[in-house]
């Protein structure tokens, strides 16, 4: 919330006279203009001595406000952007890829929900190993579950026919494409994400290797401690985290995959954690479960922006 | 004489009615078909997540951007612009373009069900398909205007500059914006509540918290509707109350603190009357002229050979009609069952 006088050098119409006029109405920064009635302000400016200059100042502020929101797009422009940038990233797990129609969608926030030991981290590691062959990715690890050995194992399994040297090359490339950060609370995650955002903005101008996938394993471990109680700040943090992830996904063309766990609800069934306020934040929600003792996993769709068929499920087995 | 000229009539009442009904027609959009809507109405679509609320908005947008007639085929649309304010940031343009494409095909072919199922399989691996009628498709898509807002400041900035944007679009396209769609109005509720509400620098300075943001939003929408008459439709995610026994609805309600009572209507202690928990401040509730509640049911509807789609129920709360409609979402849009 920078004060108005900082704008004076760039916009000389916002001089001290204008600033005093605004201060008399309780406006000290551009953000204050957002919650004031600008037509009333113009009416007050009419009664002032230098009314023309003041009204020009208000018009200038309006054009500054016009820069404060995202650009307006029409349907064709949106569709062009979707075709060019928002493609699918295959996870390498056949069942998941078939279910999602290609893989995890770039530009969207996908949530994977499952009870404990249902294979969520395995799905993440398999996806990471598959995507990292071609793109860079960022893995935010909250529970020390990232395992380079597992990634190497998945790579070995899919490249069984290649020579040892080729296998080694692929392994080197994949390992250098995965950036892993350990975060143990939500504020550390905000730090990493803001850093990522400014890096991506710089990279946009300079080119270079771009991050395509962001995995947060698991976001519920970060958010659950701040939720609950009578304070609303926990939910505000959760909503802000969700919006930051969606903004990163859309503006910088990332696919974001977050992991959530389940809690019990009445009737003995289980439901995803983080409550109702989180329900409307991810684009797609997938439910993962596994039969005890076998390595057969079951993934189904809880919510998807394009699929309204609820009984779509796929059964797959992760090589163990 | 000059004063006599005042008394000459402009048009008769019948002529005026004809003119108004052509320029500002009533819209009967499924599943809101029971109550005809026109410009100046502000409709709130309430429901838990997910319950096809965004699909209802998309349906309205497509009806608005399709032309009434084009090259001899009757499409039944309005041929106006539609504006979509995406506060949830979850809009999927591919889904929108598929629905538009299917509507165009349906109107051109006269039949709906056969085309969906066959195309769906081949489309599954392919995110982009060639539109049925490229020229019409492109002209419709260009009449759909979209913006995302990632927080309340961006939302307020959009509303403040919307007047000039509407004028500019009217000049570019030659037609007005007929519908303004907001998805979903309570999106920044928790974030705004979390920001501090104590006043800074004495009483003269307002800060950006829930009450001031909502008051400004309501004020801007009212002013906009004076100059640019539009139909406003907003979705709102809500938690259903005890009247609907679903798994999600039975939960421990927080005790309302004294501060909350200032912001929202008092929920009656007998929750049987209240179908959902209202959390928007009273100033927003006073803006709404129509309200409809949608929710999903556990029943499935068999739509074609391999598809089971979920059924949704819709119920008008304002004006309160005592009927419940069932609808499903197909590839051509919302389809009312009963």
């Amino acid at each position: 919330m920078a004060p108005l006088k900082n704008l004076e050098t760039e916009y000389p119409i916002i001089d001290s006279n204008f600033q005093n006029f605004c201060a008399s109405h309780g406006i000290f920064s551009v953000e204050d203009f957002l919650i004031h009635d600008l037509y009333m302000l113009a009416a007050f400016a009419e009664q002032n001595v230098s009314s023309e200059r003041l009204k020009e100042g208000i018009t200038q502020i309006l054009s500054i406000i016009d820069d404060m929101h995202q650009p307006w797009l029409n349907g064709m422009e949106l569709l062009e952007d979707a075709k060019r940038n928002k493609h699918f990233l295959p996870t390498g797990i056949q069942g998941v890829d078939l279910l999602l129609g290609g893989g995890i969608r770039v530009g969207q926030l996908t949530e994977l929900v499952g009870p404990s030991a249902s294979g969520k981290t395995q799905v993440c590691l398999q996806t990471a190993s598959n995507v990292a062959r071609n793109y860079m990715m960022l893995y935010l690890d909250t529970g020390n579950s990232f395992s380079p050995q597992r990634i190497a194992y998945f790579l070995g399994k899919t490249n069984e026919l290649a020579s040892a040297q080729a296998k080694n090359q692929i392994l080197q490339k994949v390992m250098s494409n995965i950036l892993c950060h350990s975060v143990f609370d939500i504020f550390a995650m905000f730090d990493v994400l803001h850093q990522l955002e400014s890096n991506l903005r710089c990279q946009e101008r300079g080119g270079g290797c771009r991050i395509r996938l962001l995995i947060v394993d698991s976001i519920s471990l970060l958010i659950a401690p701040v939720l609950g109680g009578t304070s609303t700040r926990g939910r505000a943090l959760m909503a802000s985290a969700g919006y930051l992830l969606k903004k990163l996904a859309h503006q910088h063309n990332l696919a974001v995959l977050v992991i959530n766990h389940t809690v019990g609800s009445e009737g003995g069934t289980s439901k995803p954690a983080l409550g109702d306020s989180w329900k409307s934040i991810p684009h797609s929600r997938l439910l993962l479960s596994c039969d005890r003792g076998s390595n057969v996993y079951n993934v189904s769709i809880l919510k998807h922006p394009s699929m309204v068929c609820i009984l779509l499920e796929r059964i797959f087995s992760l090589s163990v | 004489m000059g004063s006599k000229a005042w008394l000459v009539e402009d048009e008769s009442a019948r002529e005026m009615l004809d003119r108004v009904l052509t320029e500002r027609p009533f819209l009967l959009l499924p599943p809101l078909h029971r109550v005809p809507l026109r410009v100046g109405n502000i409709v709130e679509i309430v429901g838990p997540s997910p319950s096809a609320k965004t699909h209802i908005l998309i349906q309205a947008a497509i009806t608005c951007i399709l032309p009434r007639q084009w090259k001899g085929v009757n499409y039944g649309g309005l041929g106006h612009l539609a504006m979509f304010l995406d506060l949830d940031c979850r809009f999927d343009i591919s889904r929108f373009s598929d629905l538009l494409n299917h509507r165009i095909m349906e109107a051109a072919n006269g039949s709906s069900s056969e085309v969906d199922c066959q195309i769906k399989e081949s489309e599954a691996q392919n995110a982009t398909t060639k539109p049925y009628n490229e020229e019409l498709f492109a002209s419709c898509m260009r009449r759909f205007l979209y913006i995302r807002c990632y927080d309340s400041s961006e939302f307020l900035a959009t509303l403040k500059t919307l007047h000039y944007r509407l004028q500019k679009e009217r000049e570019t396209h030659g037609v007005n914006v007929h519908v303004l769609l907001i998805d979903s109005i309570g999106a920044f509720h928790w974030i705004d509540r979390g920001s501090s509400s104590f006043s800074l620098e004495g009483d003269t300075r307002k800060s950006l918290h829930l009450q001031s943001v909502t008051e400004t939003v309501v004020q801007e929408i009212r002013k906009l509707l004076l100059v640019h008459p539009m139909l406003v439709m907003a979705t709102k995610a809500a938690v259903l109350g005890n009247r609907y026994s679903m798994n999600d609805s039975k939960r421990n309600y927080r005790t309302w603190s004294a501060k909350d009572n200032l912001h929202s209507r008092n929920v009656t202690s007998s929750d049987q009357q209240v179908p959902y928990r209202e959390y928007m401040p009273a100033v927003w509730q006073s803006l709404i002229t129509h309200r409809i509640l949608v929710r999903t049911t556990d029943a499935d509807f068999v739509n074609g050979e391999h598809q089971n789609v979920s059924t949704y129920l819709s119920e008008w709360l304002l004006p309160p009609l005592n009927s419940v409609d069932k609808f499903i979402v197909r590839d051509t849009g919302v389809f009312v069952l009963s």
Side-chain angles (χ1 to χ4, degrees):
Chain A
M1 274 229 212
L4 276 178
K5 62 179 186 287
N6 288 4
L7 293 170
E8 197 169 345
T9 44
E10 204 180 331
Y11 305 102
I13 193 88
I14 304 183
D15 52 6
S16 51
N17 185 25
F18 185 75
Q19 291 165 32
N20 289 337
F21 169 71
C22 293
S24 65
H25 288 98
I27 299 175
F28 298 95
S29 70
V30 179
E31 279 79 5
D32 288 337
F33 274 102
L34 292 177
I35 43 177
H36 276 85
D37 188 344
L38 292 182
Y39 294 102
M40 289 261 288
L41 204 65
F44 277 119
E46 277 286 328
Q47 297 161 4
N48 204 298
V49 169
S50 50
S51 62
E52 285 308 314
R53 259 189 87 77
L54 288 179
K55 284 201 282 198
E56 272 175 48
I58 295 180
T59 316
Q60 179 62 266
I61 293 283
L62 262 177
S63 67
I64 295 176
I65 290 180
D66 207 14
D67 289 328
M68 280 174 71
H69 60 73
Q70 302 293 323
W72 280 93
L73 297 169
N74 68 33
M76 284 311 283
E77 289 164 0
L78 268 182
L79 199 58
E80 279 303 312
D81 172 63
K83 280 186 204 169
R84 203 180 319 130
N85 299 325
K86 311 281 196 279
H87 40 271
F88 290 93
L89 286 181
T91 62
I93 306 171
Q94 201 186 26
V96 175
D97 285 343
L98 271 177
L99 188 66
L100 292 178
I104 314 182
R105 190 90 189 265
V106 169
Q108 291 190 357
L109 175 61
T110 309
E111 180 190 353
L112 189 62
V113 183
S116 61
S118 55
K120 308 188 290 285
T121 305
Q122 300 303 313
V123 171
C124 288
L125 292 173
Q126 169 77 314
T127 310
S129 71
N130 204 43
V131 171
R133 286 164 196 259
N134 304 319
Y135 307 106
M136 290 185 74
M137 62 146 298
L138 178 61
Y139 196 106
L140 294 185
D141 189 12
T142 62
N144 288 329
S145 50
F146 181 74
S147 155
Q149 293 87 345
R150 205 72 183 121
I151 303 236
Y153 176 79
F154 283 129
L155 284 175
K157 271 279 178 179
T158 47
N159 282 345
E160 272 167 358
L161 302 175
S163 69
Q165 193 196 21
K167 275 196 206 180
N168 200 27
Q169 259 185 338
I170 295 179
L171 186 66
Q172 292 298 323
K173 185 173 178 208
V174 164
M175 288 305 182
S176 62
N177 273 349
I178 301 182
L179 306 170
C180 184
H181 276 262
S182 285
V183 288
F184 298 111
D185 62 72
I186 194 166
F187 302 104
M189 182 181 77
F190 273 117
D191 267 343
V192 173
L193 291 180
H194 284 130
Q195 187 68 43
L196 176 68
E197 194 178 6
S198 59
N199 285 348
L200 285 172
R201 248 185 261 145
C202 294
Q203 271 186 344
E204 238 156 75
R205 299 175 214 136
C209 202
R210 301 273 306 278
I211 292 188
R212 275 271 171 261
L213 173 66
L214 169 64
I215 296 185
V216 185
D217 179 15
S218 55
I219 203 164
S220 49
L221 276 181
L222 299 176
I223 295 179
V226 296
L227 278 183
T230 50
S231 160
T232 56
R233 298 210 188 264
R235 289 197 223 200
L237 279 174
M238 177 170 74
S240 306
Y243 274 96
L244 182 54
L245 289 170
K246 284 196 276 199
K247 190 173 185 182
L248 280 170
H250 184 82
Q251 288 186 329
H252 301 281
N253 299 322
L254 298 179
V256 183
L257 177 65
V258 297
I259 304 297
N260 193 2
H261 61 278
T262 56
V263 290
S265 72
E266 71 288 319
T269 55
S270 63
K271 59 177 184 172
L274 300 181
D276 280 322
S277 327
W278 174 259
K279 261 168 105 169
S280 47
I281 293 183
H283 285 86
S284 325
R285 305 183 92 196
L286 304 174
L287 178 67
L288 191 61
S289 61
C290 91
D291 301 324
R292 293 275 160 190
S294 74
N295 59 348
V296 174
Y297 296 85
N298 197 334
V299 62
S300 56
I301 293 187
L302 288 178
K303 183 173 81 162
H304 194 278
S306 336
M307 291 182 219
V308 286
C309 308
I310 54 169
L311 291 185
L312 279 182
E313 308 194 349
R314 295 287 167 175
I315 303 189
F316 63 97
S317 70
L318 277 177
S319 41
V320 166
Chain B
M1 288 199 8
S3 51
K4 279 246 176 84
W6 261 63
L7 297 171
V8 174
E9 59 187 48
D10 287 330
E11 54 183 0
S12 70
R14 188 198 186 95
E15 284 164 12
M16 179 183 166
L17 194 62
D18 280 338
R19 175 177 64 85
V20 168
L21 284 178
T22 345
E23 283 174 17
R24 302 182 183 188
F26 281 103
L27 274 180
L28 292 166
L29 304 160
L32 303 109
H33 53 283
R34 289 200 187 265
V35 178
L37 300 169
R38 59 196 301 271
V39 293
N41 289 147
I42 302 177
V43 185
E44 190 185 66
I45 304 168
V46 190
S49 167
S51 50
K53 306 188 287 289
T54 310
H55 272 100
I56 299 178
L57 291 189
I58 293 180
Q59 180 92 355
I62 292 182
T63 309
C64 183
I65 58 180
L66 278 173
R68 185 158 294 145
Q69 256 211 6
W70 200 73
K71 292 202 177 157
V73 182
N74 190 13
Y75 291 97
L78 296 174
H80 283 237
L81 302 173
M83 268 188 165
F84 195 99
L85 269 57
D86 192 3
L87 306 188
D88 254 357
C89 305
R90 276 189 299 144
F91 186 72
D92 189 5
I93 188 68
S94 336
R95 177 72 175 150
F96 182 83
S97 73
D98 282 343
L99 285 168
L100 177 63
N101 212 15
H102 279 106
R103 275 282 283 272
I104 293 178
M105 277 200 280
E106 181 191 38
N109 290 342
S111 68
S112 57
S113 47
E114 295 95 48
V115 287
D116 318 326
C117 300
Q118 286 144 4
I119 296 186
K120 193 144 178 80
E121 279 306 315
S122 61
E123 262 181 13
Q125 294 299 325
N126 199 2
T128 67
T129 53
K130 199 162 165 6
Y132 178 69
N133 187 335
E134 292 220 34
E135 200 188 324
L136 176 61
F137 179 80
S139 73
C140 288
M141 287 293 265
R142 263 182 234 116
R143 286 200 280 263
F144 178 74
L145 305 166
Y146 172 89
I147 193 171
R148 285 194 160 206
C149 299
Y150 289 107
D151 56 44
S152 286
S153 316
E154 291 189 14
F155 183 38
L156 287 174
T158 311
L159 285 178
K160 291 247 181 241
T161 51
L162 201 53
H163 172 63
Y164 301 99
R165 174 60 52 170
L166 285 168
Q167 279 179 328
K168 197 168 139 210
E169 297 295 340
R170 190 191 294 171
E171 280 159 34
T172 323
H173 289 97
V175 284
N176 288 333
V177 173
H178 195 90
V179 284
L180 178 68
L181 309 163
I182 305 179
D183 187 23
S184 72
I185 190 70
F188 307 124
H189 179 84
W190 294 111
I191 301 180
D192 288 337
R193 265 180 94 160
S195 40
S196 59
S197 61
F198 58 85
S199 53
L200 310 161
E201 294 184 48
D203 292 325
T204 51
R205 192 170 183 197
K206 291 199 261 185
S207 65
L208 220 70
H209 60 275
L210 181 67
Q211 190 65 19
S212 62
V213 166
T214 317
E215 279 170 359
T216 317
V217 166
V218 168
Q219 196 182 59
E220 292 297 323
I221 292 182
R222 275 199 219 271
K223 277 192 287 187
L224 269 174
L225 289 180
L226 287 176
V227 190
H228 302 275
M230 298 181 288
L231 171 62
V232 180
M233 296 174 70
T235 61
K236 187 172 81 177
V239 176
L240 293 183
N242 280 334
R243 192 156 78 149
Y244 305 103
S245 59
M246 290 175 67
N247 285 340
D248 295 328
S249 64
K250 294 195 174 71
R251 48 185 61 251
N252 303 321
Y253 290 129
R254 295 183 296 111
T255 53
W256 290 97
S257 66
K259 190 170 76 122
D260 292 348
N261 282 337
L262 278 177
H263 292 171
S264 48
R265 188 178 68 192
N266 280 330
V267 177
T268 57
S269 55
S270 63
D271 286 306
Q272 273 76 34
Q273 264 81 34
V274 180
Y276 66 96
R277 279 173 76 197
E278 181 63 70
Y279 56 84
M280 290 299 288
V283 60
W284 170 262
Q285 294 170 38
S286 62
L287 180 68
I288 301 291
T289 59
H290 293 72
R291 183 179 282 130
I292 186 169
L293 175 71
V294 288
R295 62 188 196 278
T296 88
T297 56
D298 293 327
D300 295 342
F301 179 75
V302 182
N303 179 37
E305 304 169 356
H306 303 292
Q307 294 177 2
N308 267 353
V309 292
S310 36
T311 325
Y312 302 97
L313 298 178
S314 69
E315 186 185 337
W316 277 100
L317 297 178
L318 181 71
L321 306 173
N322 277 330
S323 65
V324 175
D325 293 312
K326 268 199 259 191
F327 67 93
I328 58 168
V329 179
R330 281 166 44 177
D331 282 327
T332 48
V334 174
F335 181 74
V336 181
L337 289 177
S338 67

